[in-house]
Amino acid sequence: MVEQIEKTQERIERLLAVLYGVESAAGLQHELGELIERYRRRLPGLPQQGLSQRSAILITYGDQVQQAGQLPLTTLADFAETWLNGVVSGLHILPFYPSTSDDGFSVSDYYRVDPALGGWEQIERMRGNFQLMFDAVFNHASAQGDWFRGYLADDPRYRDFFIRVEGEPDLSRVVRPRALPLLTTFRAANGDCKIWTTFSADQADLNFANPCVLLQMLDVLLFYVEHGATLIRLDAIAYLWKQIGTPCIHLPQTHAVIQLMRAVLNSVAPQVLLVSETNVPHSDNISYFGDGGNEAQMVYNFALPPLVLHTLRTGDCSALSAWAADLRLPSDRVTFFNFLASHDGIGLNPARSLLSDAQIEALVAGTLAHGGRVSYKHNPDGSQSPYELNINYFDALSDPAGDEDEGLQARRFLAAHAILLSLQGVPGIYFHSLFGSRGWPQGVEIHGHNRAINRQKLAVDELNAELQDPSGRRRMVYDWLSTMLRVRAAEPAFAPSMGQEVLAAGTGIFALRRGGVTCLVNVTGRAQEFPPALRRGTDLLGSRKNAELEPYAIRWFKS
């Protein structure tokens, strides 16, 4: 134990030296050591839980379901106890801190729950039934928050907390996630200043080149652990460190900061897992595993949503199968966080090396045809390209204005999720997916941004009433998804540590073997014959054996 502590201390000192130089490292290590000891005294000694086939996370807003006269987090807790116990193991509650824009991602106070949602006692209540994932929105803070106001007022506590750009440096190499200005001019106590704002004018990027910022955010990280987080989502972490003259994405210093977070957590709360969120090409995305033991334990599998959408749209799983066959993890201590939908749109960048330009353009055209929106990003040459499809995943697969049978549409949607649930990793299910929602185009007009199309908040009484209808879309989707999740939770072959083998079953059937379970999904609207060798065993989902898979049929054969 003593030897392990010494190794962790050495790692922390080395990482601080990488970030701030050898001369500064010793003093910073002393300050960080005091921080660690303060939280070590406050945190209970919890056992390391790990991940298993039972691990599944619901992604939700704190005010996703609402009831008049009741705090939204109380409503969510009540709803979760009714509909989610035994279905998912955890809740990712999207930023529930005070915020000034971007549906919670412009954090103005990292240490409080937004009073409009509730308080820490409501969060504690959900902690009793579910693992909780909190967002670490560390790339930026609200431009209307106390920190930034103090910075503009030249308060010594916040000096150099944000990134001021002097003169007219060449920023053409900076990778831009959105088609918005990189710099925003603010009036400060000592005159106008240009501040780095990667994501919006209300989100001022924090300056991690200032070690005071690092120490502050490590304090926030451990505060979240103290308040029940066992999973920490590192929001937009790829952009964390800025260095003019570079692309300012995936910099070595960013990886060093994540390694430092991991070392601190290993020292204080080894049961807590880091989850990196980097909507970038697959090869860059998986770099956040580090060496398999020193960075994130889970990485958002951003290539999956566009690949599954392409597969179900075309009825051809070739690209998906080739990608899945190539998936590799650097160790058995890490895994993928697999998802299809979230509060954001469907990112296209992760698919650019996996699908052709024509195939990506087809996804864009299909999204627009189904009533969705498309968001664009700036390229270094000044051009723009599609960055994200803004559309509800059900609508992405099935035209909401079409006359196709809704039962067939639901089966197509469930086939997509069967792929998600079959793959190695931990599944993340968006609230609107589990409960069979369609899109909310009115939200775009109300809120003025494309992502609102998939962020509708629901009246809990209306939702409960719709879920009582056994033939309705919501109940149909919920029943099948919850059945698959429960079956998955009982089967060790679906443990994240269990490998996978992609099987040959033709372009119309996605076929995968996990341990003793063979997973088959018909990705077409036509019946598909499949090899007799793949029919062995009992279907965990209760179907009869036959030589064909019906349109969008799912089989999990256990031999």
Side-chain angles (χ1 to χ4, degrees), residues 473-492:
R473 182 189 67 254
R474 286 196 186 277
R475 187 58 185 258
M476 189 188 324
V477 170
Y478 169 80
D479 280 347
W480 264 103
L481 280 178
S482 59
T483 294
M484 285 193 285
L485 283 161
R486 286 190 174 100
V487 168
R488 190 183 190 280
E491 178 49 59

Side-chain angles (χ1 to χ4, degrees), residues 456-521:
Q456 185 178 14
K457 310 301 170 60
L458 304 173
V460 72
D461 289 342
E462 293 178 15
L463 178 57
N464 280 326
E466 289 182 88
L467 287 169
Q468 298 305 321
D469 178 3
S471 62
R473 182 189 67 254
R474 286 196 186 277
R475 187 58 185 258
M476 189 188 324
V477 170
Y478 169 80
D479 280 347
W480 264 103
L481 280 178
S482 59
T483 294
M484 285 193 285
L485 283 161
R486 286 190 174 100
V487 168
R488 190 183 190 280
E491 178 49 59
F494 291 112
S497 58
M498 183 66 68
Q500 63 188 27
E501 177 190 3
V502 175
L503 307 173
T507 60
I509 298 175
F510 181 72
L512 190 75
R513 182 172 290 127
R514 301 281 311 279
V517 175
T518 299
C519 307
L520 306 175
V521 181

